[in-house]
Amino acid sequence: MPSATEQKIIDAAVRLFASQGYDATSVQEIVTAAEVTKGALYHYFRAKDDLLFEIYRLLITAQSADMDRIIGLGLSSADTVREILVSLVVSTAERVDETAVFVREMHRLDEARMTEFRAERRRYHETFLAVIEKGQADGEFSSAVPADTVVRIALGVVNQLPVWYRPDGPKSPSVLAGEIADFVLAGLSGRGKDPERAA
Amino acid sequence: MPSATEQKIIDAAVRLFASQGYDATSVQEIVTAAEVTKGALYHYFRAKDDLLFEIYRLLITAQSADMDRIIGLGLSSADTVREILVSLVVSTAERVDETAVFVREMHRLDEARMTEFRAERRRYHETFLAVIEKGQADGEFSSAVPADTVVRIALGVVNQLPVWYRPDGPKSPSVLAGEIADFVLAGLSGRGKDPERAA
DNA sequence: GTGAGCATACCGACCGGTCGGTAGGGTGGG
DNA sequence: CCCACCCTACCGACCGGTCGGTATGCTCAC
């Protein structure tokens, strides 16, 4: 469990990284915003990029746990996909800043951590892929569009959320999540341009 | 028309910005990679961010011209959407590096240029939106999912391309573009979860 | 007393940008 | 024909300033 000081530092870092970018934010700015000193920061974190790592870790572990929980419910493919997307969109909307930092600055991780994250990402990706492939094999979904492309589209939308989602916008996260899920499920129900390709 | 030296500088900058990020790339690295000197760079560009500006300008003007051309063809709504998406995906795949830089570092523009770009972006967004709204009004598309959400999803996918698209991957840009267009059009054809919502 | 939890002063590396200078091709008056 | 003049394109050493990180020491709970 993080101490209050540690938490203040991470909160400030997320806010500043999201609005200015990682490199454009100095350690001095972070400690000033967090109302602590440099000594405190380097007491808890070995280097500036440990902050990035910590932000990613919190985000990814939460998302992975969410998806595993939903799959464990044993719903139909369509309902599983819907639940995954709704939960992902809502939780992403709640953490736009973290997601924005993650999407923009991921490539700045060092080799070892990068490898670790790619593995975790890949696991997430393939779990979702398996859900859709199962739905296609069962005939619940159309096979008109390959499952891997569907996954890429669906997860891509979520990563783009920080670009246009505004908490004070006209649509609540759950309304938005419903619309996105509707659209993806409509896409999976077939009726594309080439009817002869449908299962 | 840019001179050979100018072009070498931009090419090197695009490559380095895409792989390391803007701030993490020093002017010295750029000139070394471009095999020119600092003097040459500052002869053609007033500041480091003029490079960013130039990269964006080249990308956006090409995309806008493309969309206007397609709309001018007077196709059906479905075919217009398909053509816009295919052309956008293919041209983005050809310039993954530029797009990656654009998506990641857009927020680093100064106030004046930022305003200019938001206007251009908005114009692009609303032109696409109008196409979809017309299709919905004509009954060619389902109105189950609001047009603005569809636009956000479709354009979001394109912005995410640099994250996962690899030129040496198994799918050619045009195959990929076809799949993405198929999926979006299937989503627009209705048959979502709430049939009573359809027009 | 001793270690966790900080504060403060400071360091060396590096960065974007500048500036005095030069190489070489065009040009026009004699 | 030629040479004084100029102008564009480019060179590279250098500067002020900032940044991530460190060294050292205080303090207070146990």
Side-chain angles (χ1 to χ4, degrees):
Chain A
M1 212 188 91
S3 75
T5 301
E6 208 174 341
Q7 193 61 50
K8 279 204 293 182
I9 292 171
I10 291 213
D11 288 347
V14 167
R15 220 176 327 124
L16 289 169
F17 290 168
S19 74
Q20 315 177 350
Y22 175 77
D23 284 306
T25 302
S26 71
V27 172
Q28 192 55 55
E29 278 181 283
I30 298 173
V31 300
T32 302
E35 295 176 299
V36 300
T37 62
K38 251 179 157 183
L41 189 149
Y42 280 95
H43 176 72
Y44 288 106
F45 303 94
R46 264 180 305 164
K48 192 187 174 188
D49 38 12
D50 282 19
L51 290 170
L52 267 190
F53 182 75
E54 194 56 22
I55 292 169
Y56 299 168
R57 209 180 50 78
L58 291 171
L59 199 64
I60 287 216
T61 54
Q63 286 181 354
S64 284
D66 248 23
M67 188 163 72
D68 290 344
R69 180 183 54 77
I70 290 166
I71 288 177
L73 296 178
L75 305 170
S76 70
S77 293
D79 284 343
T80 303
V81 168
R82 172 176 298 275
E83 285 306 310
I84 289 174
L85 285 180
V86 167
S87 133
L88 193 53
V89 170
V90 169
S91 79
T92 301
E94 274 165 7
R95 314 219 235 181
V96 260
D97 280 355
E98 283 89 336
T99 306
V101 174
F102 178 69
V103 169
R104 276 207 310 254
E105 320 275 3
M106 195 181 5
H107 65 291
R108 219 164 292 266
L109 289 173
D110 56 68
E111 202 57 48
R113 286 169 172 173
M114 186 60 110
T115 307
E116 186 186 336
F117 268 113
R118 269 204 265 263
E120 186 60 31
R121 242 314 252 242
R122 192 181 167 80
R123 201 188 69 83
Y124 190 89
H125 189 101
E126 299 205 330
T127 307
F128 195 17
L129 184 71
V131 171
I132 289 179
E133 278 175 341
K134 178 166 183 305
Q136 288 179 331
D138 293 350
E140 196 177 339
F141 296 149
S142 153
S143 299
V145 178
D148 64 330
T149 297
V150 176
V151 170
R152 249 84 98 114
I153 292 172
L155 297 185
V157 172
V158 175
N159 282 344
Q160 278 291 306
L161 263 186
V163 174
W164 52 268
Y165 170 75
R166 293 290 168 268
D168 55 346
K171 289 176 183 173
S172 74
S174 60
V175 167
L176 209 54
E179 291 180 6
I180 291 173
D182 280 349
F183 187 81
V184 171
L185 286 170
L188 278 169
S189 77
R191 265 236 249 131
K193 205 200 174 174
D194 299 329
E196 87 280 4
R197 244 202 271 170
Chain B
M1 216 188 93
S3 75
T5 300
E6 209 174 338
Q7 193 62 51
K8 280 203 295 182
I9 293 171
I10 291 211
D11 288 347
V14 166
R15 218 176 328 123
L16 290 169
F17 289 167
S19 75
Q20 314 176 352
Y22 174 78
D23 283 307
T25 303
S26 70
V27 171
Q28 192 54 55
E29 277 182 283
I30 298 173
V31 300
T32 301
E35 295 176 300
V36 299
T37 61
K38 246 178 162 184
L41 190 147
Y42 279 96
H43 175 73
Y44 288 106
F45 302 94
R46 263 181 304 166
K48 193 186 174 188
D49 40 14
D50 282 19
L51 290 169
L52 268 191
F53 182 74
E54 194 55 22
I55 293 170
Y56 298 168
R57 209 181 51 78
L58 291 171
L59 199 63
I60 288 217
T61 55
Q63 286 182 354
S64 284
D66 249 22
M67 188 164 71
D68 290 344
R69 180 183 54 77
I70 291 166
I71 287 177
L73 296 179
L75 305 171
S76 71
S77 293
D79 284 342
T80 302
V81 168
R82 173 176 296 275
E83 284 307 310
I84 289 174
L85 285 179
V86 168
S87 135
L88 193 54
V89 170
V90 169
S91 78
T92 301
E94 274 165 6
R95 316 219 235 183
V96 259
D97 280 355
E98 282 90 337
T99 307
V101 174
F102 177 69
V103 169
R104 273 205 313 253
E105 320 274 3
M106 195 180 4
H107 65 292
R108 219 163 294 267
L109 289 173
D110 56 68
E111 202 57 48
R113 285 170 173 173
M114 187 60 111
T115 307
E116 185 186 336
F117 268 113
R118 267 204 267 261
E120 186 61 28
R121 232 336 240 230
R122 193 181 167 80
R123 202 188 68 84
Y124 191 90
H125 189 100
E126 299 205 330
T127 307
F128 195 17
L129 183 72
V131 171
I132 290 180
E133 279 175 342
K134 178 166 182 307
Q136 288 180 330
D138 293 350
E140 195 177 338
F141 296 149
S142 151
S143 299
V145 178
D148 63 330
T149 298
V150 176
V151 170
R152 248 84 99 115
I153 293 173
L155 297 185
V157 171
V158 175
N159 282 343
Q160 279 291 305
L161 264 185
V163 174
W164 52 267
Y165 170 75
R166 291 292 168 267
D168 55 344
K171 290 176 183 174
S172 74
S174 58
V175 167
L176 209 53
E179 291 179 5
I180 291 172
D182 280 349
F183 187 79
V184 171
L185 286 170
L188 279 169
S189 76
R191 263 232 252 133
K193 205 194 175 177
D194 299 328
E196 87 279 4
R197 245 202 272 169

